[in-house]
Amino acid sequence: MDSLAAAIAPKLVVPARNSHFSGGRLLGKSLLRPKSNRISRKIRLHADKTTQINFTDPDWKSKFQKNFEARFSIPHLTDVFLDAVPIPSTFCLKMRTPTEDFADGYPSDETWHGYINNNDRVLLKVINYSSPTSAGAECIDPDCTWVEQWEKIYFKPEEVKAAIVTCGGLCPGLNDVIRHIVITLEIYGVKKIVGIPYGYRGFSDEDLSEMPLSRKVVQNVHLSGGSLLGVSRGGPSISDIVDSMEERGINMLFVLGGNGTHAGANAIHNECHKRRLKVAVVGVPKTIDNDILLMDKTFGFDTAVEEAQRAINSAYIEAHSAYHGIGIVKLMGRSSGFIAMHASLASGQIDICLIPEVPFNLHGPHGVLRHLEYLLETKGSAVVCVAEGAGQNFLQKTNAKDASGNAVLGDIGVHLQQEIKKTFKDIGTPADVKYIDPTYMIRACRANASDGILCTVLGQNAVHGAFAGYSGITVGICNTHYVYLPIPEVISYPRVVDPNSRMWHRCLTSTGQPDFI
């Protein structure tokens, strides 16, 4: 297990790559040590925003561990149902087809060849966190012994009614995740699987009927973009949603969405526990911006960066082919500039990259417009990549919010285009400015191969986590390992680009742009 995953989640353990189990699991009280100064810095930054650590206190380690254990304790059905009895898993490795109903009771471990039994093992490496400045990782035991664990499930498949809901905006990979949730549920033996149409509003709108789902329905759905179930923002109250779930008999809910959607999923989980309902609520982070805390990346991000290359290349050709041509490409990124940064690095055609995390001036001797003058003088053309959340201080604020509660942003791309045209007209220099906004073309794309694999694993792991009895969790990839994390820890604030990171400085080196301050 890599150090960041465990340092942020002391109870979290993930399987080795060669184990049968494909989802994250839990183990006692391990506390890890960072693998690099970069990772250590990330951990400390996250810790600083949630708790203050006094490193002069000789007991800081035990206090640190106790605090993290409390925050990253993965919610489980047994927290409420103390007498819940686990049963052998029905997930079958040998057949991988929907299992039979066990009318005569569940077989013993000795006779059942299910997904995981006493002969199957999850291999786990435990690493020790030794100090706040550690730069390496070392195993507790000298031989890095692998720890063995095994799995039971807390739901009988024939008693499960599972529901899937997709909320927010579109993102490449939604259909892939839906497909693999359905397929994995069927392999467990679940017969009742439904999709809730158009986000949370599908729980309350009488004109919207739940959609029966099966392997046959979802078999080829991943070949197209969008969401089979549709998406929307906002929805009914949490109480109304849980009322609807009770009426429909839903006891597993898989929620695909971003920070706001996950906040709703966590509230649904808490309401179910409050009502003592045996329901597993599991999230799958869906944000094309890649702005979910603690996760290496979210599905759709790789596809977005790849598709952005088409728009950037078009802007480059337009700018390069015109006299004093300037191409502007606006990409997604409300509060995080990951897509703009990675797309700029990948293309090698960007002269200026502007992101929300790094302030800049438009005017003045060190402003963006003055640098554009220099580029036209020296190169004859220029290409600008800007994230949608960048430069909002130059735009008039309306205080308007969308149905999800997000502030409605001004269009920085249009503002840049107008300012560039006005500036070059005022100085008497011709400039041919082309503006491209490929947002909706990128969002509607089918997931590429990299995202397809990520979606596959996330969909499967979401089902494994629900059957294992966990609720109020989300699935993700952390330090290259697939893990479960408590929802509150990943939605406290957006993950953003570190302006002091090597990756941002690589981007600056690639573009050659100065600091616009």
Side-chain angles (χ1 to χ4, degrees), residues 1-140:
M1 177 180 177
D2 274 13
S3 58
L4 177 56
I8 60 174
K11 289 189 177 181
L12 191 65
V13 175
V14 285
R17 290 185 177 87
N18 61 344
S19 71
H20 291 307
F21 186 67
S22 60
R25 295 197 55 207
L26 308 179
L27 175 72
K29 301 178 179 178
S30 60
L31 198 58
L32 309 195
R33 141 183 197 176
K35 272 186 117 174
S36 70
N37 288 330
R38 178 183 60 83
I39 293 174
S40 176
R41 186 164 57 247
K42 286 171 67 176
I43 295 170
R44 289 200 299 273
L45 284 172
H46 183 71
D48 289 345
K49 293 190 177 184
T50 54
T51 183
Q52 294 296 323
I53 301 175
N54 179 11
F55 294 116
T56 62
D57 184 348
D59 297 323
W60 77 265
K61 286 186 182 180
S62 60
K63 292 178 181 177
F64 178 87
Q65 178 166 343
K66 184 177 180 181
N67 174 63
F68 266 60
E69 284 177 357
R71 287 170 47 206
F72 287 92
S73 177
I74 310 298
H76 194 272
L77 292 176
T78 53
D79 297 340
V80 175
F81 302 95
L82 303 179
D83 57 350
V85 178
I87 58 176
S89 176
T90 57
F91 194 101
C92 183
L93 278 175
K94 293 194 173 184
M95 293 184 62
R96 293 189 179 84
T97 55
T99 56
E100 60 184 306
D101 290 332
F102 297 101
D104 299 325
Y106 285 82
S108 66
D109 287 343
E110 288 71 27
T111 59
W112 172 243
H113 301 291
Y115 177 56
I116 288 182
N117 59 28
N118 283 336
N119 295 319
D120 293 319
R121 294 292 184 267
V122 179
L123 302 181
L124 311 166
K125 184 186 288 186
V126 181
I127 304 169
N128 182 49
Y129 180 95
S130 67
S131 82
T133 57
S134 298
E138 60 185 31
C139 294
I140 290 176

Side-chain angles (χ1 to χ4, degrees), residues 404-426:
S404 296
N406 300 314
V408 176
L409 301 180
D411 196 326
I412 184 61
V414 171
H415 182 74
L416 270 178
Q417 181 187 31
Q418 294 172 345
E419 287 296 304
I420 291 170
K421 286 182 176 180
K422 180 178 181 299
T423 296
F424 281 93
K425 182 179 179 180
D426 290 346

Side-chain angles (χ1 to χ4, degrees), residues 100-413:
E100 60 184 306
D101 290 332
F102 297 101
D104 299 325
Y106 285 82
S108 66
D109 287 343
E110 288 71 27
T111 59
W112 172 243
H113 301 291
Y115 177 56
I116 288 182
N117 59 28
N118 283 336
N119 295 319
D120 293 319
R121 294 292 184 267
V122 179
L123 302 181
L124 311 166
K125 184 186 288 186
V126 181
I127 304 169
N128 182 49
Y129 180 95
S130 67
S131 82
T133 57
S134 298
E138 60 185 31
C139 294
I140 290 176
D141 54 292
D143 300 320
C144 288
T145 302
W146 294 101
V147 181
E148 298 179 342
Q149 295 287 305
W150 51 92
E151 188 66 74
K152 299 281 187 179
I153 61 174
Y154 284 80
F155 290 89
K156 293 183 178 181
E158 67 271 20
E159 297 176 357
V160 168
K161 181 176 180 181
I164 307 170
V165 61
T166 55
C167 306
L170 291 180
C171 177
L174 279 170
N175 282 334
D176 301 63
V177 177
I178 293 169
R179 178 175 184 267
H180 281 281
I181 289 175
V182 171
I183 290 173
T184 310
L185 283 167
E186 280 202 353
I187 295 176
Y188 268 100
V190 178
K191 299 293 195 298
K192 292 175 287 187
I193 310 170
V194 298
I196 304 300
Y198 300 105
Y200 286 136
R201 75 169 60 241
F203 282 107
S204 62
D205 194 325
E206 295 180 357
D207 295 329
L208 300 175
S209 301
E210 61 186 30
M211 180 188 299
L213 298 175
S214 65
R215 178 189 283 266
K216 185 176 181 179
V217 173
V218 303
Q219 186 61 45
N220 295 314
V221 71
H222 63 300
L223 301 179
S224 60
S227 169
L228 170 69
L229 307 177
V231 295
S232 72
R233 299 186 186 276
S237 69
I238 297 302
S239 180
D240 289 342
I241 291 175
V242 178
D243 287 344
S244 178
M245 290 173 61
E246 280 196 86
E247 292 171 8
R248 300 167 190 245
I250 294 169
N251 54 3
M252 274 192 191
L253 179 63
F254 299 96
V255 181
L256 283 60
N259 279 341
T261 302
H262 270 65
N266 193 58
I268 293 170
H269 156 74
N270 290 334
E271 181 67 16
C272 288
H273 272 208
K274 178 182 175 183
R275 300 188 189 187
R276 294 189 60 82
L277 301 177
K278 190 182 178 183
V279 176
V281 182
V282 180
V284 181
K286 178 234 62 168
T287 168
I288 204 169
D289 293 349
N290 199 35
D291 60 353
I292 298 291
L293 276 178
L294 310 179
M295 298 191 182
D296 295 354
K297 67 176 178 178
T298 51
F299 74 84
F301 174 70
D302 277 354
T303 304
V305 172
E306 186 173 307
E307 288 298 318
Q309 305 306 298
R310 302 174 188 267
I312 290 174
N313 189 53
S314 296
Y316 173 81
I317 292 172
E318 286 285 349
H320 194 67
S321 301
Y323 178 67
H324 282 186
I326 298 175
I328 304 171
V329 179
K330 186 184 78 173
L331 297 176
M332 293 79 75
R334 293 180 57 84
S335 55
S336 305
F338 289 105
I339 294 178
M341 178 177 70
H342 283 258
S344 297
L345 275 166
S347 72
Q349 296 174 314
I350 297 297
D351 298 293
I352 298 174
C353 178
L354 305 174
I355 61 175
E357 296 88 340
V358 180
F360 58 91
N361 290 323
L362 280 178
H363 301 277
H366 303 294
V368 171
L369 297 172
R370 179 63 191 92
H371 188 59
L372 281 173
E373 291 180 44
Y374 167 77
L375 290 172
L376 292 192
E377 292 170 3
T378 56
K379 291 180 59 180
S381 64
V383 183
V384 180
C385 178
V386 57
E388 62 179 316
Q392 291 299 304
N393 54 302
F394 299 117
L395 307 173
Q396 185 175 359
K397 289 181 172 58
T398 63
N399 295 321
K401 295 185 181 297
D402 63 19
S404 296
N406 300 314
V408 176
L409 301 180
D411 196 326
I412 184 61

